[in-house]
Amino acid sequence: MLLHAALIAVFGVLLPWWKGSEFLDPVLSSAYVCLGVLFAAPAAAQAFSGGGPQNDGSQTTRPQTMKDAILRIARAVGYGEVLALTFLVAGVLTVNLTYGGSLRLPQLDILAETALLGLAASAAMAIAAAWMSLRFSAAVARRGMRFCFLAMLIAYYYWSFRLPDVALTGTAICVLIAMGLLYFVWREVVPR
């Protein structure tokens, strides 16, 4: 809980306060709605870690059905997306409370398109982490996700200005990747 409060303080208050009205720029607000991917994939790796202890003291087991696997993935994606939305809402509130005047919002049409990208990317990464956890281990999944996150950070650094423009294309690609990865999860869950 303390970690979540610190993350909200940094991403929801300090960074928006420092950026000011620049926080509402389409590129930065688009990046914010895509932050869920950073939290969904590790949460999925933990949910599929097979036998590892959970925060509540219980033990995780491998999913026995695809329904159970999909529910675990959905919880991980939901967790990531709720955090991303919390950061964005806190950031918009911080900018509006700090700089007063009329209500300022990010461009909602661009935000909606990139929110779809964030959701699809979170699902694809969570499914990838789930498969790697089932096939190899949660540690391998976390290492693989770190590599993907580094690649995404480099891509954001060099091509962030294109994020709002490629959101729908990126969403379609992420949905296709997620559907393909679900097949691999199914092969791990369903006995042959």
Side-chain angles (χ1 to χ4, degrees), residues 3-88:
L3 176 64
H4 290 104
L7 288 170
I8 293 168
V10 170
F11 288 105
V13 179
L14 291 177
L15 184 63
W17 174 75
W18 177 56
K19 285 293 203 179
S21 60
E22 288 179 33
F23 176 78
L24 303 174
D25 178 70
V27 172
L28 189 55
S29 58
S30 294
Y32 258 67
V33 293
C34 292
L35 280 177
V37 72
L38 297 176
F39 303 99
Q46 183 176 350
F48 285 83
S49 63
Q54 293 291 303
N55 293 336
D56 62 1
S58 65
Q59 295 286 323
T60 51
T61 58
R62 287 178 67 94
Q64 301 302 308
T65 65
M66 270 309 283
K67 180 181 177 182
D68 183 29
I70 290 172
L71 284 173
R72 290 181 193 198
I73 292 166
R75 276 190 231 118
V77 171
Y79 167 73
E81 292 303 307
V82 165
L83 274 176
L85 183 62
T86 302
F87 296 155
L88 180 68

Side-chain angles (χ1 to χ4, degrees), residues 24-191:
L24 303 174
D25 178 70
V27 172
L28 189 55
S29 58
S30 294
Y32 258 67
V33 293
C34 292
L35 280 177
V37 72
L38 297 176
F39 303 99
Q46 183 176 350
F48 285 83
S49 63
Q54 293 291 303
N55 293 336
D56 62 1
S58 65
Q59 295 286 323
T60 51
T61 58
R62 287 178 67 94
Q64 301 302 308
T65 65
M66 270 309 283
K67 180 181 177 182
D68 183 29
I70 290 172
L71 284 173
R72 290 181 193 198
I73 292 166
R75 276 190 231 118
V77 171
Y79 167 73
E81 292 303 307
V82 165
L83 274 176
L85 183 62
T86 302
F87 296 155
L88 180 68
V89 169
V92 170
L93 286 174
T94 298
V95 168
N96 279 290
L97 292 174
T98 304
Y99 297 97
S102 62
L103 179 65
R104 300 173 187 185
L105 296 172
Q107 293 181 16
L108 297 179
D109 56 337
I110 293 173
L111 200 61
E113 291 176 1
T114 53
L116 285 175
L117 173 61
L119 181 62
S122 291
M125 292 291 280
I127 295 167
W131 174 72
M132 285 191 271
S133 294
L134 290 170
R135 183 77 174 119
F136 305 107
S137 71
V140 170
R142 283 189 286 275
R143 272 185 252 131
M145 293 301 103
R146 286 182 193 126
F147 176 76
C148 290
F149 295 151
L150 179 61
M152 287 189 299
L153 180 64
I154 291 169
Y156 181 77
Y157 181 78
Y158 286 107
W159 299 290
S160 61
F161 65 94
R162 297 214 45 219
L163 181 60
D165 299 329
V166 299
L168 293 179
T169 303
T171 301
I173 292 168
C174 288
V175 166
L176 291 173
I177 291 170
M179 289 174 19
L181 287 169
L182 270 177
Y183 169 76
F184 291 108
V185 171
W186 173 78
R187 290 205 42 184
E188 293 297 324
V189 172
V190 175

